[in-house]
Amino acid sequence: AQAAAAPAPATASAPAPAERQVPTAALPPHEPTKPSGKLPHASPSIRKIARELGVPLDEVKGSGAKGRITESDVQSFVKAVMAGTAQTVAQKAAAPAGAGGGSLSGLLPWPKVDFEKFGPVERKEMSRIKKISGANLHRNWVTIPHVTNHDDADITELEAFRVQLNKENEKSGIKVTMLAFMIKATVAALKKFPEFNASLDGDGTLVLKNYFHIGFAADTPNGLVVPVIRDCDKKGIFQISQEMSELAKKARDGKLGPADMTGGCFSISSLGGIGGTYFTPIINAPEVAIMGVCKSSTQPVWDGKQFVPRLILPLSLSWDHRVIDGAAAARFNVYFASLLADFRRIAL
Ligand code: CAO
């Protein structure tokens, strides 16, 4: 199963796959292949363009008179590298040996299948949201070293409290959901483990955030979106529940603007209203972790003397191994689960 990725987050800065990351003005550094010292045929103006673009001229095939390299040869070389259909010597050298070379551009092409040969099919264009979120999910999946830790939280008392709160506030029109409690527990866990409230900056520095904007994955008829609730540290359960319901409605109506979906610190993807036990959510770059939640169920739990029925919530935390390690992730889950098991701990 896959999970959240904000459609085209304007702030996204996670590293992109090699061929996409390379701007035209900075192709990988030139590694000379011909030790002969013989210079390729090209005019000074072409050499200047190649220098500016970082194009290794001795790897460019000239199409001009006597193999002279033209401007369009340089452009074609850049296009081929950007499209991943060619590699510079430096890229080849960087790729590990073996089939496919291990680099993204060394992957096999996408299978081309004549589906009609096997039976009737229909073709349907993917929605705009699916295209954008798909591109984000793909980048995040291939560039972030994901690990997912699973754990369980005993929410027996918290669920009873939630039901009681909703009964008491029936007339207010605000329905408190388990997700609102999870957002508050996330804020407490981010305060205890600040490396989870961080982003890798392009230059290799870690940006630690002193604000607490939490995203939640929302399923809409057009695809997945991740609206963000701002300053969750300063808001109570009722306000968070209300904002979440407004944002979820806006999402379903296709009315979310970029400001509703940017600036998130951490995301929660809840499939609790649907089902399942555990899954592996995809991190919503440039965030470094995401909490996946599935449907709670009553299970027999040993209390030291007997099995007692407890309401158990399955948790799946995916984290970026460049920033976080396994011990920290296990501690995050244990702490998060302890808050849901006894919400009074949030005040400690
Ligand atoms: N365990 C058991 N029941 C749960 C639950 C859980 N973890 N979480 C919610 N529920 C119950 C709710 O209590 C509610 O029950 P009632 O109608 O009886 O009160 C029901 O499930 C529906 O809840 P909801 O989905 O309306 O509310 P929510 O706050 O849990 O979630 C939202 C809101 C917007 C997150 C949700 O509607 C949604 O879109 N979820 C899908 C997110 C998603 O697609 N994630 C995966 C992304 S990967 O592709």
Side-chain angles (χ1 to χ4, degrees), residues 55 76 107-108 114 116-117 196 208 217 307:
V55 169
S76 304
L107 289 177
L108 289 175
D114 179 7
E116 281 83 352
K117 221 172 75 185
F196 285 77
L208 292 153
F307 281 105

Side-chain angles (χ1 to χ4, degrees), residues 42-73:
S43 70
S45 64
I46 298 300
R47 287 184 187 286
K48 184 164 178 285
I49 293 168
R51 240 189 341 269
E52 283 167 1
L53 295 175
V55 169
L57 274 184
D58 46 4
E59 292 172 40
V60 180
K61 207 167 161 15
S63 64
K66 294 188 187 154
R68 224 176 161 77
I69 296 169
T70 66
E71 190 173 343
S72 81
D73 295 330

Side-chain angles (χ1 to χ4, degrees), residues 243-261:
E243 286 189 27
M244 195 158 41
S245 124
E246 287 163 7
L247 283 167
K249 180 171 184 324
K250 234 172 141 181
R252 282 192 291 273
D253 295 345
K255 290 192 176 143
L256 288 176
D260 295 317
M261 293 183 280

Side-chain angles (χ1 to χ4, degrees), residues 150-152 275-279 292-295 297 299 313-316:
H150 305 291
D151 210 332
D152 291 325
T277 47
Y278 304 93
F279 67 119
V293 184
C294 283
K295 195 176 178 70
S297 62
Q299 290 175 26
L313 180 74
L315 306 172
S316 303

